[in-house]
Amino acid sequence: MNREEALASVRANVGNENLVRHMLATEAIMRALARRLGEDEEEWGLTGLLHDIDVELTGGDMKSHSKLGADLVRDMGGSEAMARAILSHNEAHGVPLETKLDKALFCVDPLTGLITAAALVRPDKKLASVEAKSVRKRFKEKSFAAGASREQIGQCSNLGIELDEFIELGLKAMQDIAGELGL
Ligand SMILES: [Fe+2]
């Protein structure tokens, strides 16, 4: 599976542009994290890009969400490690986070939402005007982007990465593709 095929498959299965952007943002941060940790950038990036591919297909049914996604990724020729990370990112399945890839997807997923929200409250709504320190401040405001689980984001520590560095790395990765994210 190459990136072009993965993105085509995302586009074929996801109509909501915000959801596509969420997956592009997840991909960008997963790639940056893989480079930082010396892991397989392509595998980590594609896992991020594909992780919510089944959200519309499963219509919000959390019992099938990510199970179908993992099957689709296997069918597309994705690795078992990718399928496992996608399956485990939905806690409803009770699949423990074991590999670094599992742990990375789990903490990156909500970080995209926090950073997106931090951009949307800027007067120009642009990622370019967001500073890491303001994301760190927003992280501590529980009511801000409340859907972005702080506990889950904080699990970057399981990868040996401090929260401050994780936020900085995530922000930079999203800023690098700001145009694609419409931010
Ligand atoms: Fe997600």
Side-chain angles (χ1 to χ4, degrees):
M1 184 206 310
N2 62 39
R3 185 181 187 267
E4 207 179 321
E5 289 161 353
L7 184 57
S9 187
V10 166
R11 294 246 172 240
N13 289 289
V14 181
N16 180 333
E17 188 58 25
N18 284 336
L19 183 53
V20 173
R21 287 171 174 175
H22 163 62
M23 289 193 270
L24 288 168
T26 306
E27 176 193 17
I29 302 178
M30 289 293 285
R31 284 183 183 273
L33 201 51
R35 286 195 296 272
R36 161 69 172 79
L37 296 169
E39 298 293 330
D40 185 331
E41 179 181 336
E42 207 56 25
E43 182 173 58
W44 282 40
L46 293 181
T47 302
L49 179 61
L50 292 163
H51 82 280
D52 277 338
I53 192 170
D54 68 357
V55 164
E56 291 179 6
L57 295 169
T58 55
D61 172 16
M62 290 307 272
K63 286 220 159 56
S64 48
H65 166 51
S66 87
K67 208 168 237 168
L68 177 62
D71 287 343
L72 288 172
V73 167
R74 279 189 199 99
D75 291 347
M76 289 165 65
S79 67
E80 195 48 44
M82 291 171 68
R84 193 204 141 78
I86 289 170
L87 183 66
S88 65
H89 100 278
N90 177 3
E91 291 175 285
H93 304 307
V95 176
L97 304 174
E98 275 171 6
T99 69
K100 282 188 189 168
L101 182 54
D102 298 346
K103 293 170 187 170
L105 180 62
F106 191 73
C107 61
V108 167
D109 192 10
L111 180 62
T112 67
L114 179 68
I115 293 173
T116 298
L120 293 177
V121 295
R122 303 297 305 170
D124 61 2
K125 298 186 170 25
K126 296 286 182 204
L127 277 168
S129 54
V130 178
E131 288 180 76
K133 71 167 192 284
S134 81
V135 181
R136 288 201 295 270
K137 215 175 96 198
R138 294 296 190 182
F139 181 92
K140 293 180 192 134
E141 287 172 35
K142 298 297 170 217
S143 61
F144 181 84
S149 165
R150 308 305 201 262
E151 202 265 89
Q152 200 169 325
I153 294 171
Q155 288 192 29
C156 60
S157 62
N158 293 335
L159 294 163
I161 305 222
E162 303 261 356
L163 180 64
D164 286 0
E165 185 190 357
F166 188 47
I167 286 173
E168 225 162 275
L169 174 151
L171 176 61
K172 167 83 173 54
M174 285 179 62
Q175 284 172 333
D176 286 347
I177 60 155
E180 281 172 81
L181 301 177
L183 291 169

